[in-house]
Amino acid sequence: MRILTCLCSKSTQASSNLFQRIVRHFPDEGNLSLAFTYGSGVFPQHGHIDMAANMIDFIFVVRDSEKFHEKNMQTNVTHYSALMRKLGSSRVAHFQKNYGARVFYNTLINCEGRLIKYGVISNSSLQSDLLNWDSLYIAGRLHKPVNVVHHYFEDNPELMLAMRQNLLSAIFTSFLLLPETFSEMQLYHQVAGLSYLGDFRMTFGEDKDKIRNIVEPNYQHFQDLYRPILDNVTSDMQDFVSWQPALQKLQVDSSPKARHIYLEKLPLRLQIRMAREFDKRAMQIRDLEEILRSIARFGNIEDPVRDAVIHTVKKSAWNQSILSLLSAGLIKGWRYSLQKIRKMSKGIVRSWRT
């Protein structure tokens, strides 16, 4: 568990108790595999003095989405918009499974005296995103520290392995985007920023300093999350990666051979996206392995890697935002959008002052 989660410190134990109480408002009956919280309502961020004033973000990972929505509509029907209530749990589960980033959100919910937002995703959809980076929507959130409130990892070891693989993919992608020598802080900025590449909300609707605001106040949490994996990576790849924990410095081999090894460790879907775009320039039909070797020899390797991530994030961010607006309804959707604009405005003001 140390590899996968950032454990609450003593100062956040009261919040952990609150999270547990909130989760008990939702149906389980063995259907809830994992529940975690994230964001500025859970972890400190620059510019957010009173965390208790921030909305708490939850993700519920369920075995059977239709069963969850059916039970949730019985106990928490007001969480759903009028349109979603009319359509019913079967259609809601259909929207979740087939549209956006395979997540269904209910937002601006009052629970236990706090404002919360929660997303529902199935086990299979989450595992696919973690392993393949289908959308990088929830996989990207799990690149950053989260607070696990509820889990059944013992019954689902595949999910734990997929979560670990997702962190490895983030590290090797970052190796291809960073210079040969970089600091531990630079690495965490890079991994935290992957899921924001290509996200239109970073242009309009999000604080421009969001990545820095996430990483710097939570540096220790990022170390807790990634250092065990960095130890394993550097132990297994001593000829290519040098890690100096005391100095908080890393050095990676940037030769074509080393780059090819990093590329092979990326999610298959990302490899395919990269190869398709790269081979357009070559105007040839080749197999994936041959194209990856060509990319490894490419001078500006960060360009095809970044473009592949941008393509992944851009599409899912647009589609999920449209689905979330439909699921929230016009009034809640407008209120939530206003909150995002206010956060962006505060970030602009802070940047002017500094």
Side-chain angles (χ1 to χ4, degrees):
M1 285 295 294
R2 181 170 175 258
I3 292 175
L4 301 174
T5 63
C6 178
L7 300 178
C8 292
S9 63
K10 291 181 181 179
S11 61
T12 62
Q13 193 59 50
S15 295
S16 295
N17 293 335
L18 169 65
F19 303 152
Q20 294 282 355
R21 293 199 306 272
I22 290 174
V23 169
R24 285 196 286 269
H25 283 262
F26 296 90
D28 181 2
E29 299 174 356
N31 191 29
L32 185 62
S33 297
L34 172 67
F36 64 86
T37 59
Y38 64 95
S40 60
V42 182
F43 295 97
Q45 292 186 17
H46 288 317
H48 295 267
I49 299 173
D50 183 10
M51 288 173 57
N54 294 332
M55 184 161 60
I56 304 172
D57 295 294
F58 282 83
I59 293 293
F60 298 143
V61 184
V62 299
R63 292 178 171 87
D64 186 328
S65 297
E66 184 172 348
K67 180 181 177 182
F68 177 88
H69 290 297
E70 180 183 3
K71 296 291 185 182
N72 201 39
M73 280 187 170
Q74 293 172 5
T75 55
N76 299 306
V77 65
T78 57
H79 293 186
Y80 296 83
S81 69
L83 175 60
M84 294 298 123
R85 293 198 296 267
K86 185 175 181 179
L87 291 173
S89 58
S90 179
R91 296 300 295 173
V92 168
H94 174 78
F95 282 130
Q96 175 189 315
K97 181 181 178 181
N98 295 287
Y99 297 98
R102 312 298 188 258
V103 194
F104 185 91
Y105 277 99
N106 283 323
T107 188
L108 298 177
I109 308 297
N110 285 296
C111 187
E112 292 287 337
R114 292 292 298 273
L115 203 60
I116 72 167
K117 176 181 75 175
Y118 63 92
V120 183
I121 186 170
S122 69
N123 277 6
S124 58
S125 293
L126 176 59
Q127 285 183 209
S128 183
D129 195 28
L130 292 169
L131 295 174
N132 304 316
W133 285 13
D134 300 325
S135 67
L136 259 179
Y137 205 83
I138 303 301
R141 277 156 178 72
L142 286 165
H143 288 164
K144 298 171 275 291
V146 301
N147 186 305
V148 173
V149 183
H150 170 99
H151 72 86
Y152 282 122
F153 285 129
E154 296 83 358
D155 298 333
N156 193 354
E158 295 85 1
L159 180 57
M160 177 180 279
L161 291 173
M163 291 175 73
R164 184 179 187 279
Q165 184 59 48
N166 180 47
L167 297 180
L168 280 167
S169 296
I171 286 175
F172 285 110
T173 302
S174 297
F175 284 177
L176 292 161
L177 293 172
L178 289 165
E180 286 188 354
T181 302
F182 50 89
S183 69
E184 196 174 353
M185 179 70 82
Q186 285 177 289
L187 174 65
Y188 300 150
H189 273 83
Q190 187 65 68
V191 297
L194 289 175
S195 61
Y196 297 115
L197 288 174
D199 190 336
F200 73 95
R201 293 170 299 178
M202 294 302 290
T203 303
F204 183 80
E206 285 287 5
D207 187 339
K208 298 298 185 293
D209 292 325
K210 187 176 183 70
I211 297 168
R212 180 175 67 86
N213 295 345
I214 290 172
V215 175
E216 294 181 9
N218 297 291
Y219 185 59
Q220 182 63 55
H221 293 325
F222 275 88
Q223 288 184 315
D224 292 341
L225 187 63
Y226 281 98
R227 278 200 166 196
I229 293 183
L230 285 172
D231 288 340
N232 290 338
V233 167
T234 52
S235 176
D236 294 340
M237 304 182 66
Q238 294 180 19
D239 294 338
F240 302 102
V241 182
S242 174
W243 160 230
Q244 298 175 286
L247 299 177
Q248 301 178 25
K249 292 284 187 183
L250 292 98
Q251 185 170 2
V252 297
D253 187 344
S254 62
S255 67
K257 179 181 179 181
R259 287 173 164 183
H260 182 247
I261 291 173
Y262 309 150
L263 286 168
E264 285 189 316
K265 293 183 180 295
L266 302 187
L268 179 60
R269 196 175 293 271
L270 194 70
Q271 293 179 1
I272 293 171
R273 289 191 183 110
M274 197 184 316
R276 283 176 177 168
E277 186 60 33
F278 188 84
D279 219 36
K280 285 181 183 177
R281 292 191 287 263
M283 300 298 290
Q284 300 174 26
I285 299 176
R286 298 178 289 170
D287 63 28
L288 179 60
E289 178 66 22
E290 186 180 350
I291 300 172
L292 290 180
R293 291 189 182 279
S294 295
I295 294 173
R297 294 192 294 268
F298 189 59
N300 297 320
I301 192 171
E302 63 273 13
D303 290 344
V305 175
R306 184 177 288 106
D307 288 347
V309 176
I310 288 173
H311 177 84
T312 302
V313 173
K314 193 175 194 177
K315 182 178 179 181
S316 64
W318 272 110
N319 292 342
Q320 185 61 41
S321 293
I322 293 169
L323 176 61
S324 295
L325 282 173
L326 289 173
S327 66
L330 289 176
I331 296 175
K332 279 190 176 181
W334 177 245
R335 285 174 58 198
Y336 183 67
S337 298
L338 284 177
Q339 284 190 351
K340 287 291 187 181
I341 292 170
R342 289 193 193 101
K343 288 174 68 175
M344 178 185 69
S345 301
K346 289 179 181 178
I348 292 172
V349 170
R350 285 197 304 273
S351 65
W352 284 346
R353 289 174 177 171
T354 57

